[in-house]
Structures are given as structure tokens and as C-alpha cells.
């Protein structure tokens, strides 16, 4: 397991002033950008041009979460836009191994996401191709949804597979992560935590990043 990282999602931030919103969370390890195309998920956010502008406005690296159809064709643009990590959904990729290799070759960390009902078992042999695995803990599409506890056993099984293969793939959780749920995720083996509404609805978002980090660190040291 890697060290604990907090990657706040800007999905519930003020889209009219994103650079200011990102400046409110200087202690974030990455900024999680949720790209939605109204096809893969029933919601629409922004594309590579906007992501590139955001990348230029902050020193914090961007962690792109692509909830878009035809990932094979559309994902590489987000490496070019300046994202340090690019996550595609396996449900939207025709050739996930080729795509992960392409993302790495272009200079970003390659990551693959699973929706809550997508099992990890078929992808065990693919894990060494990935720098990070994202296990969704809500159905993708919207911020502010309730955390799905039914995803916890999959997090545990994924971490056990990584340990078995002796690989240090980061394991990210996304959806409903808050002070109430982050410990369960950390105990199950997650080490990278997306939090959207928890961070941006807090009076002091950066203090919330610190509080989430402390809870996760505490959960694995206990
Ligand atoms: C959901 C997105 C998440 C979401 C997280 O489709 O991928 O990143 O914004 O928001 P919260 O933390 O509010 O569930
Ligand atoms: Zn996300």
C-alpha cells in the first residue's frame, strides 16, 4: 500500500471560478477532475480545453477521471492537456491494455476505473499495466451521493490481488467519501481518496483535506 493521498473533486466546486476554488485546497495531493460526456453517464461537465486551462492555473497535478464513451479514442487528449494521471472506465474501453500502455507512453500515470457492479476478478492479470485502480463507491455521474458499502469487499479483494502479485498499484476510491466513510475505505486497502462534496461544502476546504488525511492515516496505523 502506498502513502495516503487526498484528491479532492472539483465537481461540486464553483465552475465559474475554478482556479480560485483549486487555490483553496493547497494541501491536496492531486486535483480530481470529473470529465462527463452525457453518454457514458447522464451528466455533462467539461472537455480537454477546459482541463488544459485548469492545469495551467495550478501547480497541483491533475487526476482526470474520464466518464466518457470510447475511451480508446478520447483519453489521450487528457494526457496532452497536462494531466499527470488519466483514469478511463474499463466499461468504456475496447482495448484497456493498449490504452493503458498508450497513456503511460505519453507520459502520464495510467489508471482504470470500475463501476460498482463491475467485478475486479476478470482484470487481475491486467493490474501490472496500471499505476492506479479506481473503485467507484457510487454509480458515476453526480457528486453528493451516498457511499455504497457493498463496494468494500471488492476493495479488499483488489488489495489482496495486488499484494499477491507484489505490486504497489495505487487504489483509489471515489464517491461518498467523507469523515464518516473514509476509515472503512482505508481499512479495506484504499490509499487514494477522492472527496467532492465533503471538501467543497466545508467552511475550510483545506482543513477538511487535512482531517480526511488524518482519519485515513489513523485507520491504517490502528
Ligand atoms: C462521481 C464522481 C465523483 C464525485 C465525488 O461520478 O466521479 O468524483 O464528484 O463527489 P462526492 O465526494 O460528493 O461523492
Ligand atoms: Zn470522480
Amino acid at each position: 500500500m502506498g502513502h495516503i493521498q487526498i484528491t479532492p473533486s472539483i465537481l461540486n466546486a464553483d465552475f465559474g471560478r475554478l482556479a480560485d476554488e483549486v487555490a483553496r485546497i493547497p494541501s491536496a495531493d492531486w486535483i480530481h477532475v470529473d470529465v462527463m460526456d452525457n453518454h457514458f453517464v447522464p451528466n455533462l461537465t467539461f472537455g480537454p480545453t477546459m482541463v488544459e486551462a485548469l492545469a495551467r492555473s495550478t501547480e497541483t497535478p491533475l487526476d482526470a477521471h474520464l466518464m466518457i464513451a470510447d475511451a480508446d479514442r478520447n483519453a489521450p487528449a487528457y494526457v496532452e492537456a497536462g494531466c499527470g494521471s488519466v483514469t478511463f472506465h474499463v466499461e468504456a474501453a475496447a482495448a484497456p491494455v493498449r490504452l493503458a500502455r498508450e497513456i503511460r507512453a505519453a507520459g502520464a500515470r495510467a489508471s482504470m476505473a470500475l463501476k460498482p457492479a463491475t467485478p475486479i476478478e476478470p482484470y487481475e492479470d491486467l493490474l501490472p499495466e496500471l499505476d492506479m485502480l479506481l473503485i467507484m463507491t457510487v454509480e458515476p455521474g453526480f457528486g453528493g451521493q451516498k457511499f455504497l458499502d457493498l463496494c468494500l469487499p471488492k476493495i479488499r479483494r483488489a488489495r489482496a490481488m495486488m499484494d499477491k502479485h507484489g505490486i504497489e498499484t495505487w487504489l483509489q476510491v471515489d464517491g461518498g467519501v467523507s469523515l464518516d466513510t473514509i476509515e472503512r475505505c482505508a481499512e479495506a486497502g484504499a490509499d487514494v481518496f477522492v472527496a467532492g462534496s465533503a471538501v467543497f461544502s466545508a467552511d475550510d476546504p483545506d482543513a477538511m483535506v487535512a482531517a480526511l488525511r488524518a482519519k485515513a492515516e489513523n485507520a491504517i496505523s490502528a
Side-chain angles (χ1 to χ4, degrees), residues 107-220:
R109 297 178 61 91
S111 163
M112 189 177 87
L114 308 180
K115 299 208 288 184
T118 304
I120 179 62
E121 282 72 18
Y123 306 108
E124 177 169 354
D125 293 334
L126 202 148
L127 292 173
E129 300 287 336
L130 304 173
D131 297 300
M132 183 168 80
L133 178 74
L134 165 53
I135 294 186
M136 292 298 301
T137 42
V138 297
E139 290 291 358
F142 302 93
Q145 302 182 78
K146 192 174 177 300
F147 180 83
L148 293 173
D149 277 285
L150 62 87
C151 300
L152 287 168
K154 181 162 58 177
I155 298 170
R156 253 179 236 113
R157 292 197 301 273
R159 179 55 70 191
M161 281 176 193
M162 291 166 183
D163 290 348
K164 184 177 112 191
H165 289 268
I167 51 177
E168 288 267 317
T169 318
W170 295 354
L171 208 173
Q172 186 177 50
V173 284
D174 182 8
V177 175
S178 69
L179 289 174
D180 289 334
T181 58
I182 194 166
E183 288 167 298
R184 277 173 255 173
C185 299
E187 280 161 9
D191 52 8
V192 184
F193 303 87
V194 179
S197 47
V199 167
F200 280 99
S201 67
D203 290 334
D204 182 343
D206 208 49
M208 180 55 73
V209 172
L212 289 165
R213 190 190 305 281
K215 273 230 162 171
E217 282 171 351
N218 202 40
I220 53 167

Side-chain angles (χ1 to χ4, degrees), residues 9 11 32-36 65 67 134 136 172 174-175 194:
S9 162
L11 185 60
H32 182 85
V33 293
D34 288 302
V35 179
M36 305 186 182
H65 176 196
M67 287 158 277
L134 165 53
M136 292 298 301
Q172 186 177 50
D174 182 8
V194 179

Side-chain angles (χ1 to χ4, degrees), residues 9-12 15 32-48 51 64-69 78 87 89 136 138-145 174:
S9 162
I10 53 163
L11 185 60
N12 280 38
F15 277 17
H32 182 85
V33 293
D34 288 302
V35 179
M36 305 186 182
D37 67 352
N38 225 6
H39 291 273
F40 183 73
V41 288
N43 195 3
L44 183 66
T45 55
F46 38 70
V51 170
H65 176 196
L66 307 180
M67 287 158 277
I68 57 178
Y78 293 87
T87 301
H89 265 268
M136 292 298 301
V138 297
E139 290 291 358
F142 302 93
Q145 302 182 78
D174 182 8

